[in-house]
């Protein structure tokens, strides 16, 4: 753990702080890089960024075991279109040239190992990435990755779940430098029927005991109504599959983003 | 003699074999893995659990499986004696049932009435469905659409046994994707579901636990070889490796002996059309260190970290990774791993069938091929034990197709019999 905040962490915290000042939960849409194609992705990202406090960009991966069918299919399509690990970072670099909004990259751990952890961090730093979300890396599995991220100015975010014990929540919260990601349900990503808050309040109460960073909630938030529920209790709201579905159906993602951003007001 | 489960010095407290293994899974599963580890640790020393497992292995599976001297194969190879550990004798036809029964008993003990499993060729799926039927558990088996098409009979078997077979269409629609889907199910239903994982892969404690449940193979060999040869340790042990559970089952009881007492341990990897062709499943020879299904291991993946689909003539070896303990054995020189191609496996299958009247699974045929090579190398007086991990019934239709294809490709004036005679020549 580094005592001083990295540049990425500072920018991420500032985005959450701004939203808080305006009595909102920070709104963080997600999109798979290179979806629906490498050529069309920048326009999709621009539409999301117009309403976002932070943007989460996913590196397409062949075996995304934390994701449901929506993001799996988007990843397959993006990979087939030639967007893989390095190309994702290049796409982020293009976005960074036009936007100042913090951008966090979600990646499974294997692409980091394949590129080489140090080289990966160097490329991410060069692309202007602010932080990483690591869905299949419990923080006690690899201490080097978090250190290398910090060395390259990047924040790291790990996940907790409704099944997490107080000991695990403490361990994960201690390792997070950007924000803490609380998964709303036991399960994988994807829009669900009638997401209720269910186990979220209890999990957040636990998270707040230990977290020194903002806490965002994701998985199953799909519209303004579900965002409004989550915004009451969380510092940030992450919405992924709903946007991926909208892109797939050729719908106006900008309009959906505007409406969900509105739902994030308290 | 009642059953005891072994205690090996590996993995360490973090579930690592050297740098391999670990728990690279969504945080949701960490408490479930902790719970499983604790339940397993308790069961391991509980006489009630051990006696029940012992009884089922004897009365339901038919253990111990014979250790058989393959005399005509030995004569043909012209060197060391070749013994076959006959896991093909087990009920359901392969070594898989050893692990399935033990895990299903553990599920019952933990109060989980729903079990899930992944399967490639269908062997582990059938074994899991069998164990679930025996113990009255609900069972869901995930299977790739591609494998469902190729293994219709095993799909029907599982359904007959009362299991639900769920088709997986994501990714390459094969074993690795079925495994992803099983893990997704487990993440979703983690509180009431037990995941019966079929090989020595996955997050800790699976590689260690599956090894312990399969170690009965090697422990029996020790006793049987002593009776037959007056020695516990052969010169070499050969076993095929996909994920690696049958190989670990016969290696582990010998792997932790002092080096002077250790036999040569040789795993045969599926080299498909050749390691250079790119169409293979040889993770040690053609892969590099990566993470898949919760574990760090040798893995077929490209330089961007995307998993490269494996290929093998045998669906059971068609896995892009190899268990973390094997990776550690390879790195520390405890075992060696050699590639064997599709064509060589097919040749060995015919050889064993003709010389011994035993049709091996295509998986096991990979080990037979190398054993014949090795027998010559070791020479008279040497002793080799080959793990014959499963029987070939499931592969007969595929073998027929392949041999007819060989005949049709420029061997037009020959029939299958002549092709086989050439193999034997």
């Amino acid at each position: 753990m580094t005592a001083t905040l990295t540049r990425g962490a500072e920018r991420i915290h500032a985005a959450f702080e701004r939203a808080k000042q305006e009595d909102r939960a920070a709104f963080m849409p997600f999109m798979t890089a290179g979806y629906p194609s490498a050529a069309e992705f920048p326009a999709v990202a621009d539409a999301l960024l117009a309403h976002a406090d932070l943007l989460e960009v996913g590196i397409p991966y062949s075996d995304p075991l934390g994701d449901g069918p929506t993001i799996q299919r988007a990843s397959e399509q993006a990979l087939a279109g030639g967007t893989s690990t390095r190309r994702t970072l290049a796409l982020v670099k293009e976005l960074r040239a036009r936007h100042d909004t913090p951008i966090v990259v979600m990646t499974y751990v294997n692409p980091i190992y394949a590129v080489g952890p140090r080289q990966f961090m160097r490329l991410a730093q060069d692309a202007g990435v602010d932080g990483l979300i690591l869905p299949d890396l419990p923080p006690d599995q690899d201490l080097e990755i978090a250190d290398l991220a910090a060395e390259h100015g990047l924040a790291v975010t790990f996940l907790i779940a409704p099944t997490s014990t107080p000991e695990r929540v403490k361990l994960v919260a201690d390792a997070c430098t950007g924000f803490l990601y609380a998964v709303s349900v036991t399960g994988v990503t994807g829009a669900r029927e009638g997401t209720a808050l269910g186990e979220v309040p209890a999990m957040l109460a636990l998270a707040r005991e230990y977290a020194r960073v903002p806490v965002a909630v994701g998985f199953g938030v799909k519209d303004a109504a579900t965002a409004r529920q989550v915004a009451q209790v969380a510092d940030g709201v992450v919405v992924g599959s709903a946007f991926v579905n909208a892109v797939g159906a050729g719908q106006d993602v900008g309009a959906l983003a505007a409406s969900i951003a509105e739902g994030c007001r308290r | 003699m009642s059953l005891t489960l072994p205690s090996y010095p590996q993995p360490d407290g973090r579930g690592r074999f050297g740098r391999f293994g670990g728990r690279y899974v969504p945080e949701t599963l960490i408490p479930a893995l902790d719970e499983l580890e604790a339940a397993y640790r308790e069961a391991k020393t509980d006489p009630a659990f051990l006696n029940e497992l012992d009884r089922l292995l004897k009365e339901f599976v038919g253990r111990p499986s014979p250790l058989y001297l393959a005399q005509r194969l030995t004569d043909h190879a012209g060197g060391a004696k070749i013994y076959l550990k006959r896991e093909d004798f087990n009920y359901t036809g392969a070594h898989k049932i050893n692990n399935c029964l033990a895990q299903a008993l553990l599920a019952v003990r933990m109060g989980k009435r729903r079990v899930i499993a992944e399967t490639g060729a269908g062997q582990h799926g059938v074994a899991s469905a069998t164990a679930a039927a025996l113990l009255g558990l609900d069972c869901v088996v995930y299977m790739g659409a591609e494998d469902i098409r190729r293994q219709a009979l095993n799909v029907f078997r599982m359904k007959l046994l009362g299991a639900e077979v769920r088709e997986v269409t994501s990714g390459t629609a094969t074993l690795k994707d079925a495994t992803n889907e099983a893990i997704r199910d487990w993440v979703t239903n983690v509180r009431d579901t037990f995941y019966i994982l079929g090989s020595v892969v996955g997050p800790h404690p699976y590689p260690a636990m599956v090894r312990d449940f399969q170690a009965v193979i090697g422990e029996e060999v020790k006793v049987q070889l002593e009776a037959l040869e007056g020695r516990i340790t052969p010169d070499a042990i050969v076993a095929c490796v996909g994920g690696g559970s049958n190989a670990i089952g016969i290696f582990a009881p010998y792997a932790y002996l002092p080096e002077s007492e250790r036999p040569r341990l040789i795993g045969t990897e599926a080299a498909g059309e050749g390691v250079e062709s790119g169409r293979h499943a040889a993770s040690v020879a053609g892969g590099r260190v990566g993470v898949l299904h919760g574990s760090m291991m040798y893995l077929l993946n490209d330089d961007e970290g995307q998993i490269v689909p494996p290929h093998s003539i045998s669906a059971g070896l068609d896995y892009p990774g190899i268990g973390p303990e094997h990776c550690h054995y390879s790195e520390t020189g405890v075992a060696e791993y050699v590639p064997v191609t599709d064509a060589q496996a097919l040749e060995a299958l015919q050889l064993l069938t003709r010389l011994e009247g035993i049709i091996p699974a295509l998986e096991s045929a990979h080990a037979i091929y190398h054993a014949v090579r090795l027998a010559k190398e070791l020479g008279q007086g040497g002793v080799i034990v080959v793990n014959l991990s499963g029987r070939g019934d499931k592969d007969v239709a595929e073998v027929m197709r392949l041999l007819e294809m060989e005949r049709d490709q420029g061997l037009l004036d020959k029939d299958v019999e002549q092709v086989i005679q050439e193999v034997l020549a």
Side-chain angles (χ1 to χ4, degrees):
Chain A
M1 282 299 302
T2 44
T4 53
L5 280 183
T6 61
R7 180 183 157 282
E10 278 176 7
R11 286 169 41 78
I12 288 167
H13 296 180
F16 276 93
E17 188 53 37
R18 255 194 313 278
K20 190 177 169 183
Q21 294 303 327
E22 295 169 15
D23 206 23
R24 296 183 294 111
F27 168 50
M28 193 183 323
F30 163 95
M31 188 51 59
T32 300
Y35 186 73
S37 67
E40 295 161 284
F41 170 79
V44 171
D46 286 345
L48 294 172
L49 280 158
H51 306 280
D53 293 293
L54 308 96
L55 178 69
E56 180 188 353
V57 175
I59 293 182
Y61 183 49
S62 57
D63 294 75
L65 57 77
D67 282 300
T70 299
I71 292 172
Q72 284 176 54
R73 278 194 295 270
S75 299
E76 284 173 22
Q77 188 172 321
L79 284 168
T83 300
S84 190
T85 309
R86 290 173 178 85
R87 181 87 187 99
T88 296
L89 296 174
L91 286 168
V92 169
K93 192 170 182 170
E94 284 175 44
L95 293 178
R96 178 52 72 226
R98 298 195 301 275
H99 299 275
D100 192 41
T101 310
I103 297 176
V104 290
V105 164
M106 187 284 290
T107 183
Y108 287 86
V109 75
N110 198 52
I112 297 179
Y113 289 131
V115 172
R118 182 169 291 277
Q119 176 64 5
F120 181 94
M121 299 304 166
R122 199 177 296 136
L123 290 170
Q125 180 182 37
D126 175 65
V129 172
D130 293 292
L132 300 173
I133 298 177
L134 304 160
D136 65 340
L137 184 69
D140 48 350
Q141 290 299 305
D142 187 329
L143 305 173
E144 186 203 26
I145 283 183
D147 285 349
L148 281 172
E151 201 182 308
H152 291 81
L154 305 170
V156 287
T157 285
F158 300 97
L159 287 69
I160 58 166
T163 50
S164 299
T165 58
E167 296 72 35
R168 288 301 301 183
V169 171
K170 181 178 189 316
L171 182 142
V172 175
D174 279 348
C176 292
T177 55
F179 64 96
L180 174 62
Y181 193 135
V183 172
S184 69
V185 289
T186 58
V188 292
T189 57
R192 289 166 172 76
E193 282 307 304
T195 304
L197 271 181
E199 309 188 74
V200 171
M203 187 175 35
L204 282 184
L206 201 54
R208 294 207 189 282
E209 264 184 65
Y210 300 110
R212 291 160 305 187
V213 292
V215 183
V217 170
F219 284 35
V221 187
K222 59 180 185 290
D223 51 25
T226 44
R228 191 164 293 117
Q229 285 183 307
V230 173
Q232 299 311 310
V233 290
D235 301 318
V237 178
V238 186
V239 183
S241 293
F243 289 115
V244 175
N245 281 329
V247 170
Q251 291 161 357
D252 180 351
V253 285
L256 180 63
S259 116
I260 296 180
E262 193 55 39
C264 289
R265 293 187 182 285
R266 296 198 178 105
Chain B
M1 190 186 95
S2 170
L3 184 77
T4 52
L5 288 169
S7 284
Y8 298 113
Q10 301 265 6
D12 65 18
R14 295 168 55 247
R16 298 271 175 169
F17 302 87
R19 61 179 166 147
F20 301 101
R23 283 184 176 176
Y24 298 86
V25 292
E27 189 65 34
T28 311
L29 290 181
I30 296 288
L33 291 166
D34 283 338
E35 182 194 16
L36 175 63
E37 194 179 359
Y40 171 54
R41 197 179 308 120
E42 247 176 57
K44 217 172 157 170
T45 56
D46 178 353
F49 177 83
L50 294 170
N51 288 337
E52 183 60 3
L53 180 58
D54 191 39
R55 187 182 71 82
L56 289 176
L57 289 177
K58 285 189 176 111
E59 297 170 13
F60 190 74
V61 178
R63 300 207 72 90
S65 68
L67 185 65
Y68 165 77
L69 174 61
Q71 190 59 59
R72 296 226 305 143
L73 186 70
T74 297
D75 295 344
H76 173 89
K81 280 186 188 173
I82 301 173
Y83 282 94
L84 306 178
K85 179 59 174 165
R86 301 289 307 269
E87 290 300 293
D88 59 320
F89 263 64
N90 295 345
Y91 179 55
T92 71
H95 69 288
K96 293 286 188 188
I97 190 76
N98 303 329
N99 167 53
C100 285
L101 277 176
Q103 285 199 44
L105 283 178
L106 201 53
V108 170
R109 186 188 172 89
M110 291 171 75
K112 314 242 176 189
R113 306 301 303 175
R114 177 179 184 266
V115 298
I116 56 173
E118 81 295 337
T119 198
Q123 289 297 106
H124 175 64
V126 168
S128 297
T130 300
L134 175 72
L135 299 172
L137 302 167
D138 293 331
C139 178
V140 173
V141 178
Y142 287 92
M143 189 168 184
E146 193 54 36
D147 291 325
I148 285 181
R149 196 183 53 74
R150 289 188 291 212
Q151 297 284 345
L153 207 53
N154 271 343
V155 174
F156 181 70
R157 264 191 202 104
M158 290 184 259
K159 289 179 177 169
L160 204 55
L161 288 158
E164 179 193 340
V165 180
R166 286 196 194 159
E167 183 178 35
V168 176
T169 54
S170 60
T172 55
T174 57
L175 174 61
K176 82 170 170 70
D177 309 283
T179 309
N180 291 339
E181 213 50 54
I183 293 172
R184 289 179 185 122
D185 179 315
W186 199 33
V187 169
T188 306
N189 304 296
V190 62
R191 289 184 173 115
D192 63 4
T193 295
F194 188 103
Y195 179 17
I196 301 182
L197 216 161
S199 194
V200 285
V201 300
H204 176 69
Y206 281 104
M209 186 172 76
V210 176
R211 169 200 62 195
D212 293 354
F213 292 151
Q214 292 292 5
V216 64
I217 302 172
E219 290 300 338
E220 283 176 10
V221 171
K222 282 182 180 174
V223 175
Q224 292 166 320
L225 199 67
E226 189 166 33
L228 291 161
E229 290 283 337
R231 57 199 258 202
I232 285 175
T233 303
D235 295 292
I237 297 177
V238 186
C240 66
V241 180
S245 69
N246 91 79
I248 281 288
I250 200 165
F251 288 180
Y254 291 97
Y256 296 97
L257 297 173
E259 198 178 345
S260 57
E261 295 170 38
R262 222 172 32 222
R264 278 179 68 187
L265 303 173
I266 303 160
T268 56
E269 292 198 288
E273 294 168 16
V275 177
E276 282 66 48
S277 73
R279 285 181 51 74
H280 62 83
S283 311
V284 175
R288 50 217 177 94
V289 178
V291 167
L292 182 68
H293 300 144
S295 175
M296 181 170 275
M297 56 189 172
Y298 290 122
L299 185 63
L300 305 180
N301 64 141
D302 66 18
D303 64 1
E304 302 266 334
Q306 309 297 342
I307 307 303
V308 175
H311 161 81
S312 168
I313 193 172
S314 60
L317 301 183
D318 210 351
Y319 185 72
I322 169 173
E325 189 165 4
H326 284 295
C327 299
H328 187 56
Y329 287 175
S330 174
E331 201 159 71
T332 54
V334 167
E336 27 188 323
Y337 296 84
V338 299
V340 173
T341 65
D342 286 353
Q344 291 167 334
L346 193 57
E347 189 181 312
L349 177 138
Q350 295 166 74
L351 196 63
L352 187 68
T353 303
R354 283 304 170 101
L355 292 174
E356 297 286 352
I358 298 168
I359 305 176
L362 276 168
E363 289 82 355
S364 321
H366 287 74
I368 298 290
Y369 181 86
H370 186 71
V372 171
R373 256 193 321 206
L374 187 68
K376 239 186 221 86
E377 186 188 318
L378 290 179
Q380 301 284 345
V383 174
I384 300 171
V385 175
V386 186
N387 201 14
L388 192 69
S389 55
R391 58 175 191 236
D393 304 30
K394 66 178 175 59
D395 296 320
V396 170
E398 180 69 359
V399 169
M400 186 168 77
R401 193 182 66 81
L402 290 164
L403 290 180
E404 283 173 352
M405 213 162 68
E406 271 187 37
R407 184 191 59 192
D408 296 343
Q409 285 172 349
L411 301 160
L412 284 174
D413 54 338
K414 298 179 189 167
D415 61 8
V416 169
E417 179 58 33
Q418 280 174 289
V419 174
I420 291 172
Q421 286 306 330
E422 281 177 21
V423 167
L424 292 169

